[in-house]
Structures are given as C-alpha cells and as structure tokens.
Amino acid sequence: MESISRLVTRLNQQGIDAALVSDPNAICYFTGTRFSPGERLLALLVKKDGSCQLCINILFPYAGDVPALWYSDAQDGVELLAKELSGTLAVDKSFPARFLLRLQAVKPELKLILGTVIDEVKAIKTPEEQEKMLRASQVNDSVMARVAELIQPGKSELQLQQEIDGIFRQVSQGNSFDTIVAYGDHAADPHGVPGERTLKAGEAVVVDMGCVVDGYCADMTRTFFVGENTEQEIYDTVLRANLAGIAAVKPGIPFQEIDLAARKIIEDAGYGEYFIHRLGHGIGMEVHEPFDVSATDEVIVQEGMCFSIEPGIYIPGRVGIRIEDLVCVTKDGCRVLNAYPKNQEVLTR
C-alpha cells in the first residue's frame, strides 16, 4: 500500500530499523481495516526492508493484504512480536504501557524511540486525501449556512447543538467531535459544553463544529451576533489574526512561525493574555492529529499537510470569540478548505 511504502521510505531516510503502530486509527490508515481491539494487543510492524506484519488476536476477523502474526489468549502476543524485532524501533505514542513495559522486559536490547516518523507520514495528505478533506469541509460549509438560519433569540445552546447534530446525521457520517455552542460570556470557555442558557440579542454565538465525510474530518468555527456586533473590536482582531495565520502558511517554515504571525496581531491589540490556546492542530482521519500549530512546535511545514488556523480571544465574564478554518499546504502557500464567509457575522432577526 502507498501509505506503507511512504513509511518505509521515511524509515530508511532516518536510519530506523522498524516502526510499531498501535493506534487503531493509524492502523486503519496504513491497512484500510478498522479494528476495536479493546484490551488485547494490536500492532502493525513495518520494517525498513518493506516487510510488514499485523500482530492480531485470533478473535478478530481479518483477511487484509498485510500478513498476519496471529496469537491467541493462551499465548503472549508481545513475546511473539518481540521475536520479529531488532535494532531501533519507532513506537507510536499510543502504544499501551502494559505492552511497552512487557516488550522492554522481553527484549531489553531494543532501542526504542518515539515514532514521530509515523506522524510525519500521516500528516502529509495525498491528493486523494486532500480531496476528501475538501469535500468534508464543503459539507461543513453547507451546514454552517443552515446554522446561521437556526440561530434565534430565546433558543438554548443545547437545542441549537441538537439541531446541528441532527443535520450532520442526514448529510454526513456524523460528527467529527462534540459540537460546541456557547453564548455570551459562556463562550469565554473555549471548550464550553452547551447547556440550557438561552440566547439574548447582541450576545456572541460561538459555533465550533465538524463532520466526517468519506472517513475524513472537517472542523470549523464561526462567531455570530444577532442584531448587532457588540464586540466589533475583538471580532475584527480575531479575524485579522485568522487571516495573518493563513497568510503565513508555506512549506519550509516551522509551525511556531505561523502561531507567532497570528498571536502577534492579538498581542499588539492588547489582548495577548486572552488568547489561551495553540493556533491550530493537524487533522485528517481524526479531528486532532499531529502536528500542533503552536509557539513551541519546531516541526517544519511541508506541502500536503492539513491543519486548522483558529485564533480566539476569551475574556472571562464578558465574551469569547473564535474563528477557525482548515488549510492544506501547497507548494507556495496554502489552500483554505472552508468557504463560509467570516464577514457576515451579524444576523438580522
């Protein structure tokens, strides 16, 4: 499979003997088969010579292209797997400690390293993946247009959330994460859980939502106001930060430079202390994937990477405003996957 071939190439480039993938989503990415292993060992072993094996319990049906290394509940799967290992092994960050510690005990001579090489392969989307990401965002755009019509004074956060989720069930494979709807000062909590609070005219309405289409995730945030934008300065500052972050995206720079471009806008406007999270996150088959668009991430941006740009200002007891788009890196910049407007935040009712 192409994804495994790209992982083999990375292993050889970095002088790593093999990679061990345990995250079921990543295994699905590399093999095309999704598993729910529960407490049992499931691991994809990919070696630098191109050979690979899927270590899997006999209780799980599997007939894929990757050869299986079967084990039963009467056997020690880690011990069987260890016989296939030598040299330097890149292990993904999801590998359960109960198996990792056992592996270290069984084969202490192994050199274990954090498998960022696995994340690097997943982070660079193929043209086919990029088209799926675009389709998911286009569906998300169409739903956001309907959301703007559903926002009404007197409607609770929970009611609007339920309406959004109902639409997603009709037009997609469902939510990519729990929809966030927050009004007024409740929106000062970036991950606020919708409740029974009802909307009053003039309050900010933050809607952060995403769906799954063809197995790939969408994610976007828009902030609305009914009647008038009562926080125009803050809204305009967040919008300028969003646009600055997007404009900074290009191959060859570290993620931290993109974060800085957006964060500087907010800091220069005097709201730096109220921008309390990273600028963005990777996205693909999962809504949160490596790498972070943050002040500490020195990973170099590469063509094909997809991630969010989502600056926000959150003033406790007053308001929260966030604007989020997804971008895909091109050879000289980026393509914004969302088309829903950001300059039509005032809704007339």
Side-chain angles (χ1 to χ4, degrees):
M1 298 180 69
E2 181 185 349
S3 56
I4 291 180
S5 296
R6 290 194 289 129
L7 178 54
V8 170
T9 298
R10 292 271 177 169
L11 291 173
N12 282 279
Q13 288 173 340
Q14 299 184 29
I16 301 171
D17 294 299
L20 198 58
V21 185
S22 68
D23 176 47
N25 287 304
I27 289 176
C28 179
Y29 175 80
F30 285 110
T31 69
T33 304
R34 186 171 295 279
F35 299 93
S36 297
E39 74 278 10
R40 292 180 171 87
L41 173 66
L42 174 71
L44 172 66
L45 173 63
V46 180
K47 296 184 178 181
K48 68 178 182 180
D49 64 4
S51 63
C52 53
Q53 289 180 292
L54 183 66
C55 184
I56 183 172
N57 192 285
I58 61 174
L59 295 174
F60 299 102
Y62 171 67
D65 294 332
V66 176
L69 176 62
W70 296 104
Y71 73 94
S72 72
D73 283 353
Q75 297 172 292
D76 185 339
V78 173
E79 188 171 355
L80 289 175
L81 181 61
K83 294 177 181 178
E84 306 294 326
L85 305 175
S86 62
T88 302
L89 179 67
V91 180
D92 70 19
K93 59 184 176 294
S94 299
F95 202 74
R98 63 184 180 277
F99 299 135
L100 183 60
L101 292 173
R102 175 64 179 154
L103 180 60
Q104 290 175 306
V106 171
K107 202 143 192 177
E109 67 271 23
L110 275 177
K111 181 182 179 182
L112 300 176
I113 62 173
L114 181 62
T116 55
V117 63
I118 299 165
D119 294 333
E120 291 167 7
V121 172
K122 285 189 65 185
I124 300 176
K125 305 300 188 277
T126 65
E128 292 77 17
E129 288 182 289
Q130 292 177 37
E131 284 305 307
K132 291 179 180 181
M133 296 284 297
L134 177 61
R135 285 198 293 272
S137 286
Q138 289 172 335
V139 171
N140 219 24
D141 282 339
S142 68
V143 175
M144 188 64 84
R146 295 174 67 177
V147 171
E149 298 174 355
L150 293 171
I151 295 173
Q152 299 285 347
K155 181 174 290 186
S156 73
E157 296 170 336
L158 187 59
Q159 183 180 356
L160 181 57
Q161 179 203 40
Q162 291 171 341
E163 290 173 340
I164 294 169
D165 292 351
I167 298 172
F168 278 148
R169 287 192 292 271
Q170 296 172 2
V171 301
S172 70
Q173 293 169 272
N175 295 55
S176 55
F177 60 95
D178 292 339
T179 301
I180 296 173
V181 175
Y183 301 156
D185 61 356
H186 186 204
D189 178 357
H191 288 159
V193 177
E196 297 297 339
R197 175 176 178 152
T198 57
L199 178 62
K200 301 178 180 64
E203 285 189 317
V205 180
V206 172
V207 179
D208 187 347
M209 65 183 210
C211 58
V212 180
V213 176
D214 294 332
Y216 282 76
C217 297
D219 185 5
M220 71 183 300
T221 306
R222 293 293 184 265
T223 301
F224 299 97
F225 296 83
V226 175
E228 65 172 324
N229 185 339
T230 55
E231 299 286 357
Q232 192 70 57
E233 180 189 5
I234 295 177
Y235 186 90
D236 290 347
T237 300
V238 173
L239 178 56
R240 286 190 294 114
N242 169 271
L243 296 175
I246 292 170
V249 176
K250 62 181 179 180
I253 65 170
F255 276 108
Q256 59 188 185
E257 286 191 17
I258 303 172
D259 182 280
L260 176 62
R263 196 169 299 275
K264 187 176 187 303
I265 298 293
I266 293 176
E267 290 177 346
D268 287 350
Y271 296 103
E273 66 182 294
Y274 302 114
F275 183 13
I276 56 177
H277 56 70
R278 63 192 176 188
L279 180 63
H281 57 82
I283 187 169
M285 295 178 72
E286 299 173 81
V287 72
H288 284 180
E289 293 187 351
F291 293 92
D292 290 344
V293 189
S294 73
T296 60
D297 197 335
E298 298 178 351
V299 170
I300 300 300
V301 175
Q302 298 181 56
E303 184 177 354
M305 288 181 167
C306 293
F307 47 86
S308 67
I309 301 291
E310 49 181 302
I313 293 175
Y314 311 92
I315 303 179
R318 177 178 167 183
V319 71
I321 291 176
R322 180 167 64 257
I323 300 173
E324 174 187 16
D325 294 300
L326 297 184
V327 301
C328 186
V329 183
T330 61
K331 64 179 180 180
D332 55 4
C334 71
R335 178 185 190 182
V336 180
L337 302 184
N338 302 99
Y340 189 84
K342 295 174 278 194
N343 60 353
Q344 300 177 18
E345 76 278 9
V346 178
L347 308 174
T348 57
R349 295 290 183 263

